[in-house]
Amino acid sequence: MSTNSDPGLPASQDPSPADVKLEARNIVKRFGNNIILDGVSLSAAPGSVTAIIGASGSGKSTFLRCVNLLIRPDAGELFLDGQRVDIGQRERDLLRYRCEIGMVFQSYNLFPHMTALENVIEAPMIVHRVPRAEATERAVVLLEKVRLGPRAAAYPHQLSGGEQQRVAIARALAMHPRVMLFDEVTSALDPELKGEVLATMRDLAADGMTMIVVSHEMSFVRQVASQVLFMSSGRIIEHGDPDAILDRPRSPELQAFVARIMD
Amino acid sequence: MNFSVVFDNLDLFWRGATSTFIIAFVTSVLSVAAALPLAVMRDMRSPLLSWPAAIFSWASRATPALALLFFAYYGLPGIGIYLDPVPAAILGLSLSAAGYNMEFIRAGLQAVPRTQYDAARALGIPYRTALRRIIIPQAMRVIVPPLASNLTLVIKGSALASLVAVSELTGEAMALISFTYRPFEILITIAAIYLVINSALISLQHYLEQRFRFG
């Protein structure tokens, strides 16, 4: 049924407009008989911050993983900078696309046997064959940027959760991604550590990075997001600017969700 | 007690120890080298890859090492494959050890969280490179202790090679006993030699445990 996944298909007749950084159209994902994503679409302008909110199990994280093809959708289309991404290609060929999309995970997923600096230089050295000296130079700049310059030689277990997550952000940025995905990156953090990670994300948004953020941090969403998508049961139920979504929910699902999170 | 029987036959002990060391060393290297890809294949989604690995693991571990050794030496000529005693011993012992090695390596690979694979994939790191640089170094601390223990069994099990006409340490010692009648001195000596060879392996184990310690 994956009509869009055959390699060699001509580009869609309706190509993604040039002022859209990343577009997902009608992404469908099933696991067995369960439909996890039931035609989810998203359009992110360059430099925009798209927040995806919704109850757990609504499909937010699965959708995010479909965007960088960590999970292969059963149907749908992806466009990056107006170029159609062939979602049916072999895993080996998907790697090149994934380099363009940075991802930060809820559980940081740093490589525990490498220092902060080694975590950051690993992928540029292996994937882009950047010489170690050059990769290190850039990694130092990135670690400064996430305010971890002095911690470059520390191993993940010597860092706090907030510090680990900032290393993970630097690690993703080291690949020069065109878009960054954030999958509930503060959910595993103690409240006093969330702030430093959110501040780093604010800096990144201010620098003009296109970001897609799955988050439960409503004040962050309100202040930083350019658009908010509300997901429920694998669909986008509402879509709009943060104030409209959070202050004037129309659907009963969103009204119930907003009432719960405002407690 | 009179150890002159040992000093008078040093060349024989040297020959036996060298032979034991070579068989044990080559068997260790081969059985680990074969076990790594088998361990990876065992948990692949494709049944074309996982089934052969599963069958090998089952057959290798469920068959006595001695039976595999005899098969390599006395059995294979039945289909036209003639191996000299030392290669036959190495083949039989490697087949036997690889099944266990494979399961220890597999346990180590499974101990690395799936999220580490996700992180590597998200960064565009190819699967094989991720295994080598990210997954295996983390798996090592789970793999090394049982794997090294199994290899000490391989070294000791190399004595079985004497049963297919290899002049290794235990076989040479038994031959020497049969005409000198000094079992005590001779067996103490070969026990000490096995201790030395195995201690080298155990030192390597400690080194690797330190090398891959983190967190």
Side-chain angles (χ1 to χ4, degrees):
Chain A
M1 141 97 232
S2 62
T3 52
N4 303 308
S5 59
D6 299 336
L9 257 187
S12 165
Q13 293 104 359
D14 180 19
S16 194
D19 62 342
V20 175
K21 192 77 185 169
L22 184 113
E23 184 176 359
R25 284 189 199 156
N26 286 313
I27 299 293
V28 174
K29 183 67 199 176
R30 298 182 200 85
F31 288 117
N33 287 327
N34 297 326
I35 297 186
I36 307 298
L37 298 176
D38 190 5
V40 178
S41 299
L42 165 156
S43 176
S48 66
V49 176
T50 303
I52 304 176
I53 61 171
S56 55
S58 58
K60 308 180 301 281
S61 289
T62 306
F63 176 62
L64 211 58
R65 281 158 183 263
C66 282
V67 168
N68 72 346
L69 298 173
L70 272 187
I71 295 177
R72 209 186 282 262
D74 294 316
E77 288 182 284
L78 285 172
F79 299 88
L80 180 62
D81 283 317
Q83 293 219 291
R84 191 168 170 281
V85 179
D86 178 4
I87 63 174
Q89 58 192 326
R90 286 171 310 174
E91 172 75 14
R92 207 187 319 160
D93 299 318
L94 291 178
L95 293 172
R96 200 148 30 106
Y97 168 68
R98 291 209 195 98
C99 297
E100 310 277 357
I101 312 282
M103 186 168 202
V104 185
F105 300 87
Q106 178 176 346
S107 52
Y108 336 131
N109 302 1
L110 291 182
F111 306 133
H113 57 304
M114 298 181 187
T115 64
L117 183 82
E118 287 166 346
N119 264 278
V120 179
I121 65 176
E122 180 71 6
M125 276 174 33
I126 285 183
V127 179
H128 292 328
R129 312 226 175 269
V130 178
R132 178 177 281 269
E134 198 184 319
T136 303
E137 211 171 291
R138 170 148 168 86
V140 168
V141 172
L142 286 169
L143 287 170
E144 296 283 352
K145 192 180 160 79
V146 299
R147 299 184 204 106
L148 282 174
R151 306 292 276 142
Y155 282 87
H157 73 273
Q158 297 166 323
L159 298 170
S160 72
E163 289 173 324
Q164 289 189 53
Q165 196 58 294
R166 285 183 284 150
V167 174
I169 293 172
R171 180 175 70 172
L173 289 174
M175 295 298 279
H176 299 278
R178 292 195 240 173
V179 175
M180 285 281 286
L181 311 179
F182 293 86
D183 188 8
E184 300 195 29
V185 296
T186 55
S187 300
L189 295 173
D190 293 337
E192 71 270 24
L193 299 176
K194 290 180 199 273
E196 59 192 56
V197 173
L198 294 173
T200 305
M201 291 166 67
R202 275 198 185 88
D203 292 349
L204 206 53
D207 289 350
M209 176 60 77
T210 308
M211 295 164 50
I212 302 174
V213 180
V214 169
S215 182
H216 293 297
E217 305 297 327
M218 290 307 149
S219 60
F220 175 81
V221 167
R222 197 186 279 276
Q223 288 161 23
V224 181
S226 342
Q227 61 171 345
V228 180
L229 311 180
F230 170 67
M231 280 185 75
S232 177
S233 313
R235 292 163 175 274
I236 291 176
I237 306 277
E238 285 193 48
H239 166 209
D241 65 60
D243 292 335
I245 292 289
L246 297 176
D247 297 337
R248 297 181 296 281
R250 283 168 287 135
S251 60
E253 291 95 334
L254 181 52
Q255 283 165 1
F257 179 75
V258 168
R260 256 199 325 273
I261 57 171
M262 294 306 175
D263 283 348
Chain B
M1 232 192 300
N2 183 354
F3 276 90
S4 63
V5 63
V6 173
F7 295 112
D8 293 343
N9 293 286
L10 272 182
D11 60 326
L12 184 144
F13 284 99
W14 176 250
R15 213 167 51 231
T18 309
S19 183
T20 288
F21 180 80
I22 289 170
I23 291 172
F25 182 79
V26 177
T27 300
S28 298
V29 171
L30 279 183
S31 66
V32 173
L36 177 60
L38 284 165
V40 173
M41 281 165 62
R42 180 66 184 81
D43 291 315
M44 290 276 194
R45 222 170 294 162
S46 157
L48 237 57
L49 293 170
S50 65
W51 271 85
I55 289 169
F56 175 82
S57 165
W58 164 71
S60 153
R61 289 181 299 147
T63 317
L66 187 57
L68 289 169
L69 195 69
F70 282 160
F71 180 76
Y73 190 61
Y74 297 114
L76 288 181
I79 54 166
I81 300 173
Y82 294 86
L83 292 176
D84 285 338
V86 170
I90 289 171
L91 177 65
L93 293 170
S94 295
L95 286 175
S96 175
Y100 292 96
N101 292 349
M102 173 185 159
E103 294 301 326
F104 298 135
I105 294 172
R106 190 171 160 226
L109 295 177
Q110 286 177 346
V112 178
R114 297 299 309 170
T115 51
Q116 290 287 309
Y117 291 89
D118 286 345
R121 289 171 73 212
L123 287 164
I125 298 174
Y127 180 69
R128 272 187 213 197
T129 317
L131 271 184
R132 181 167 55 82
R133 298 204 38 107
I134 292 158
I135 305 302
I136 291 173
Q138 292 181 59
M140 284 298 266
R141 58 177 174 178
V142 176
I143 293 174
V144 166
L147 184 66
S149 299
N150 191 44
L151 295 180
T152 63
L153 293 180
V154 167
I155 292 173
K156 293 182 285 184
S158 68
L160 292 174
S162 64
L163 298 170
V164 294
V166 174
S167 27
E168 51 64 65
L169 195 53
T170 302
E172 293 283 71
M174 293 314 286
L176 188 60
I177 290 168
S178 68
F179 61 86
T180 59
Y181 309 106
R182 312 285 322 182
F184 185 83
E185 293 84 348
I186 292 171
L187 292 175
I188 285 276
T189 305
I190 69 161
I193 295 173
Y194 279 116
L195 260 175
V196 169
I197 296 176
N198 263 328
S199 299
L201 177 65
I202 291 165
S203 304
L204 177 66
Q205 172 189 345
H206 289 317
Y207 166 76
L208 289 175
E209 281 177 18
Q210 291 301 318
R211 168 73 183 68
F212 290 99
R213 180 193 298 270
F214 58 87

Short mmCIF file of all heavy atoms in Angstrom, two decimals, chain A residues 5 7-8 68-70 72 80 84-101 127, chain B residues 121 123-127:
data_model
loop_
_atom_site.label_atom_id
_atom_site.label_comp_id
_atom_site.label_asym_id
_atom_site.label_seq_id
_atom_site.Cartn_x
_atom_site.Cartn_y
_atom_site.Cartn_z
N SER A 5 6.57 4.89 -1.95
CA SER A 5 7.88 4.47 -1.50
C SER A 5 8.71 3.84 -2.62
O SER A 5 9.85 3.52 -2.40
CB SER A 5 7.74 3.48 -0.34
OG SER A 5 6.99 2.38 -0.78
N PRO A 7 11.28 3.47 -5.29
CA PRO A 7 12.35 4.34 -5.78
C PRO A 7 12.13 4.61 -7.26
O PRO A 7 11.59 3.79 -7.99
CB PRO A 7 13.61 3.52 -5.54
CG PRO A 7 13.17 2.13 -5.25
CD PRO A 7 11.73 2.15 -4.91
N GLY A 8 12.50 5.76 -7.71
CA GLY A 8 12.38 6.08 -9.12
C GLY A 8 11.04 6.66 -9.51
O GLY A 8 10.81 6.96 -10.67
N ASN A 68 12.56 11.60 10.85
CA ASN A 68 13.94 11.32 10.46
C ASN A 68 14.11 9.87 10.02
O ASN A 68 15.23 9.38 9.87
CB ASN A 68 14.94 11.70 11.56
CG ASN A 68 14.91 10.78 12.76
OD1 ASN A 68 13.98 10.00 12.92
ND2 ASN A 68 15.92 10.87 13.60
N LEU A 69 12.98 9.19 9.83
CA LEU A 69 12.98 7.82 9.30
C LEU A 69 13.71 6.83 10.19
O LEU A 69 14.21 5.82 9.71
CB LEU A 69 13.51 7.80 7.86
CG LEU A 69 12.65 8.61 6.87
CD1 LEU A 69 13.31 8.70 5.50
CD2 LEU A 69 11.26 8.00 6.73
N LEU A 70 13.77 7.12 11.49
CA LEU A 70 14.18 6.06 12.43
C LEU A 70 13.13 4.98 12.39
O LEU A 70 13.41 3.80 12.60
CB LEU A 70 14.29 6.60 13.86
CG LEU A 70 15.61 7.22 14.31
CD1 LEU A 70 15.55 7.53 15.79
CD2 LEU A 70 16.79 6.32 14.01
N ARG A 72 10.16 3.72 9.70
CA ARG A 72 9.76 3.92 8.30
C ARG A 72 8.23 3.98 8.23
O ARG A 72 7.57 3.02 8.64
CB ARG A 72 10.27 2.75 7.48
CG ARG A 72 10.56 3.07 6.05
CD ARG A 72 10.92 1.79 5.36
NE ARG A 72 12.30 1.38 5.64
CZ ARG A 72 13.32 1.62 4.81
NH1 ARG A 72 13.10 2.26 3.68
NH2 ARG A 72 14.52 1.20 5.09
N LEU A 80 12.31 17.77 2.26
CA LEU A 80 13.27 18.59 2.98
C LEU A 80 13.77 19.64 2.00
O LEU A 80 14.28 19.29 0.92
CB LEU A 80 14.44 17.73 3.49
CG LEU A 80 15.53 18.46 4.27
CD1 LEU A 80 14.98 19.10 5.53
CD2 LEU A 80 16.68 17.52 4.60
N ARG A 84 11.85 15.92 -2.41
CA ARG A 84 11.15 14.76 -1.93
C ARG A 84 12.15 13.74 -1.40
O ARG A 84 13.17 13.46 -2.02
CB ARG A 84 10.34 14.15 -3.06
CG ARG A 84 9.37 13.09 -2.63
CD ARG A 84 8.43 12.77 -3.78
NE ARG A 84 7.66 11.59 -3.46
CZ ARG A 84 8.15 10.36 -3.57
NH1 ARG A 84 9.35 10.17 -4.01
NH2 ARG A 84 7.41 9.33 -3.22
N VAL A 85 11.84 13.19 -0.23
CA VAL A 85 12.71 12.18 0.37
C VAL A 85 12.12 10.81 0.04
O VAL A 85 10.95 10.57 0.27
CB VAL A 85 12.78 12.35 1.90
CG1 VAL A 85 13.67 11.29 2.52
CG2 VAL A 85 13.25 13.74 2.25
N ASP A 86 12.94 9.94 -0.52
CA ASP A 86 12.46 8.60 -0.87
C ASP A 86 12.43 7.75 0.40
O ASP A 86 13.46 7.32 0.90
CB ASP A 86 13.42 8.00 -1.91
CG ASP A 86 13.02 6.58 -2.28
OD1 ASP A 86 11.98 6.10 -1.78
OD2 ASP A 86 13.75 5.96 -3.07
N ILE A 87 11.23 7.53 0.92
CA ILE A 87 11.15 6.82 2.21
C ILE A 87 11.30 5.32 2.05
O ILE A 87 11.39 4.59 3.04
CB ILE A 87 9.83 7.14 2.98
CG1 ILE A 87 8.61 6.67 2.19
CG2 ILE A 87 9.73 8.61 3.29
CD1 ILE A 87 7.32 6.83 2.96
N GLY A 88 11.33 4.85 0.79
CA GLY A 88 11.45 3.40 0.59
C GLY A 88 12.88 2.93 0.41
O GLY A 88 13.13 1.75 0.26
N GLN A 89 13.84 3.86 0.44
CA GLN A 89 15.20 3.45 0.12
C GLN A 89 15.82 2.61 1.23
O GLN A 89 15.31 2.55 2.34
CB GLN A 89 16.06 4.67 -0.18
CG GLN A 89 16.11 5.68 0.96
CD GLN A 89 16.72 7.00 0.54
OE1 GLN A 89 17.61 7.04 -0.28
NE2 GLN A 89 16.22 8.09 1.09
N ARG A 90 16.92 1.98 0.88
CA ARG A 90 17.56 1.08 1.83
C ARG A 90 18.10 1.84 3.03
O ARG A 90 18.45 3.01 2.93
CB ARG A 90 18.74 0.35 1.15
CG ARG A 90 18.31 -0.73 0.19
CD ARG A 90 19.51 -1.22 -0.57
NE ARG A 90 20.26 -0.10 -1.14
CZ ARG A 90 21.42 -0.22 -1.76
NH1 ARG A 90 21.98 -1.39 -1.87
NH2 ARG A 90 22.03 0.83 -2.27
N GLU A 91 18.20 1.14 4.15
CA GLU A 91 18.70 1.73 5.39
C GLU A 91 20.01 2.49 5.15
O GLU A 91 20.20 3.60 5.64
CB GLU A 91 18.90 0.61 6.43
CG GLU A 91 19.60 1.03 7.72
CD GLU A 91 18.73 1.83 8.68
OE1 GLU A 91 17.49 1.85 8.51
OE2 GLU A 91 19.29 2.46 9.60
N ARG A 92 20.88 1.89 4.36
CA ARG A 92 22.18 2.50 4.11
C ARG A 92 22.02 3.89 3.46
O ARG A 92 22.76 4.81 3.76
CB ARG A 92 22.99 1.58 3.20
CG ARG A 92 24.48 1.72 3.34
CD ARG A 92 25.21 0.89 2.29
NE ARG A 92 24.58 -0.43 2.08
CZ ARG A 92 24.77 -1.16 0.98
NH1 ARG A 92 25.53 -0.71 0.01
NH2 ARG A 92 24.19 -2.34 0.85
N ASP A 93 21.02 4.01 2.56
CA ASP A 93 20.82 5.28 1.87
C ASP A 93 20.07 6.30 2.73
O ASP A 93 20.15 7.49 2.50
CB ASP A 93 20.08 5.05 0.55
CG ASP A 93 20.88 4.15 -0.38
OD1 ASP A 93 22.11 4.36 -0.46
OD2 ASP A 93 20.30 3.25 -0.99
N LEU A 94 19.34 5.78 3.73
CA LEU A 94 18.62 6.68 4.63
C LEU A 94 19.59 7.44 5.53
O LEU A 94 19.27 8.51 6.03
CB LEU A 94 17.66 5.88 5.52
CG LEU A 94 16.46 5.25 4.84
CD1 LEU A 94 15.64 4.47 5.86
CD2 LEU A 94 15.59 6.34 4.20
N LEU A 95 20.79 6.87 5.73
CA LEU A 95 21.73 7.48 6.67
C LEU A 95 22.06 8.90 6.26
O LEU A 95 22.21 9.79 7.10
CB LEU A 95 23.00 6.63 6.77
CG LEU A 95 22.82 5.25 7.39
CD1 LEU A 95 24.10 4.43 7.24
CD2 LEU A 95 22.43 5.35 8.85
N ARG A 96 22.17 9.11 4.95
CA ARG A 96 22.54 10.44 4.47
C ARG A 96 21.45 11.47 4.83
O ARG A 96 21.74 12.58 5.24
CB ARG A 96 22.76 10.40 2.95
CG ARG A 96 23.58 11.53 2.42
CD ARG A 96 24.39 11.07 1.20
NE ARG A 96 23.70 10.00 0.47
CZ ARG A 96 23.08 10.16 -0.69
NH1 ARG A 96 23.05 11.34 -1.27
NH2 ARG A 96 22.49 9.14 -1.30
N TYR A 97 20.19 11.04 4.69
CA TYR A 97 19.09 11.93 5.05
C TYR A 97 19.11 12.21 6.56
O TYR A 97 18.93 13.35 7.00
CB TYR A 97 17.77 11.29 4.65
CG TYR A 97 16.54 11.98 5.21
CD1 TYR A 97 16.20 13.27 4.79
CD2 TYR A 97 15.75 11.36 6.18
CE1 TYR A 97 15.09 13.90 5.32
CE2 TYR A 97 14.64 11.99 6.70
CZ TYR A 97 14.31 13.26 6.27
OH TYR A 97 13.23 13.89 6.80
N ARG A 98 19.37 11.16 7.36
CA ARG A 98 19.34 11.35 8.82
C ARG A 98 20.41 12.34 9.29
O ARG A 98 20.22 13.02 10.30
CB ARG A 98 19.54 10.02 9.53
CG ARG A 98 18.36 9.10 9.35
CD ARG A 98 18.21 8.16 10.51
NE ARG A 98 17.31 7.09 10.13
CZ ARG A 98 17.71 5.91 9.72
NH1 ARG A 98 19.00 5.62 9.68
NH2 ARG A 98 16.85 5.00 9.36
N CYS A 99 21.52 12.41 8.55
CA CYS A 99 22.56 13.38 8.92
C CYS A 99 22.03 14.81 8.84
O CYS A 99 22.56 15.71 9.49
CB CYS A 99 23.76 13.29 7.99
SG CYS A 99 24.60 11.73 8.06
N GLU A 100 21.03 15.02 8.00
CA GLU A 100 20.49 16.37 7.81
C GLU A 100 19.52 16.74 8.91
O GLU A 100 19.11 17.89 9.02
CB GLU A 100 19.73 16.45 6.47
CG GLU A 100 20.51 15.92 5.28
CD GLU A 100 21.47 16.95 4.72
OE1 GLU A 100 21.47 18.09 5.24
OE2 GLU A 100 22.20 16.62 3.78
N ILE A 101 19.08 15.76 9.67
CA ILE A 101 18.05 15.96 10.69
C ILE A 101 18.66 15.57 12.03
O ILE A 101 18.90 14.39 12.29
CB ILE A 101 16.83 15.05 10.42
CG1 ILE A 101 16.37 15.11 8.96
CG2 ILE A 101 15.71 15.36 11.40
CD1 ILE A 101 15.56 16.32 8.61
N VAL A 127 31.22 9.73 9.86
CA VAL A 127 30.27 9.84 8.75
C VAL A 127 30.77 10.85 7.71
O VAL A 127 30.75 10.57 6.52
CB VAL A 127 28.87 10.25 9.28
CG1 VAL A 127 27.89 10.39 8.12
CG2 VAL A 127 28.37 9.23 10.28
N ARG B 121 21.98 5.55 14.73
CA ARG B 121 21.24 5.69 13.46
C ARG B 121 20.86 7.14 13.21
O ARG B 121 20.96 7.63 12.10
CB ARG B 121 19.98 4.82 13.49
CG ARG B 121 20.25 3.34 13.42
CD ARG B 121 18.97 2.56 13.67
NE ARG B 121 18.04 2.62 12.55
CZ ARG B 121 16.72 2.60 12.66
NH1 ARG B 121 16.15 2.53 13.84
NH2 ARG B 121 15.96 2.67 11.60
N LEU B 123 22.37 9.70 14.01
CA LEU B 123 23.54 10.49 13.62
C LEU B 123 24.06 10.07 12.24
O LEU B 123 25.07 10.60 11.77
CB LEU B 123 24.66 10.33 14.65
CG LEU B 123 24.42 11.06 15.98
CD1 LEU B 123 25.37 10.54 17.04
CD2 LEU B 123 24.59 12.56 15.82
N GLY B 124 23.40 9.10 11.62
CA GLY B 124 23.82 8.67 10.29
C GLY B 124 24.99 7.70 10.31
O GLY B 124 25.65 7.51 9.29
N ILE B 125 25.26 7.08 11.46
CA ILE B 125 26.39 6.14 11.56
C ILE B 125 25.94 4.77 11.04
O ILE B 125 24.95 4.23 11.51
CB ILE B 125 26.87 6.04 13.03
CG1 ILE B 125 27.36 7.41 13.52
CG2 ILE B 125 27.98 4.99 13.16
CD1 ILE B 125 27.71 7.46 14.99
N PRO B 126 26.67 4.20 10.08
CA PRO B 126 26.28 2.90 9.53
C PRO B 126 26.32 1.80 10.59
O PRO B 126 27.10 1.87 11.54
CB PRO B 126 27.33 2.63 8.43
CG PRO B 126 27.96 3.94 8.15
CD PRO B 126 27.86 4.75 9.40
N TYR B 127 25.49 0.77 10.39
CA TYR B 127 25.30 -0.29 11.39
C TYR B 127 26.61 -0.94 11.81
O TYR B 127 26.90 -1.09 12.99
CB TYR B 127 24.34 -1.34 10.82
CG TYR B 127 24.06 -2.48 11.76
CD1 TYR B 127 23.31 -2.28 12.92
CD2 TYR B 127 24.53 -3.76 11.51
CE1 TYR B 127 23.05 -3.31 13.79
CE2 TYR B 127 24.28 -4.80 12.37
CZ TYR B 127 23.53 -4.58 13.51
OH TYR B 127 23.29 -5.61 14.37
#
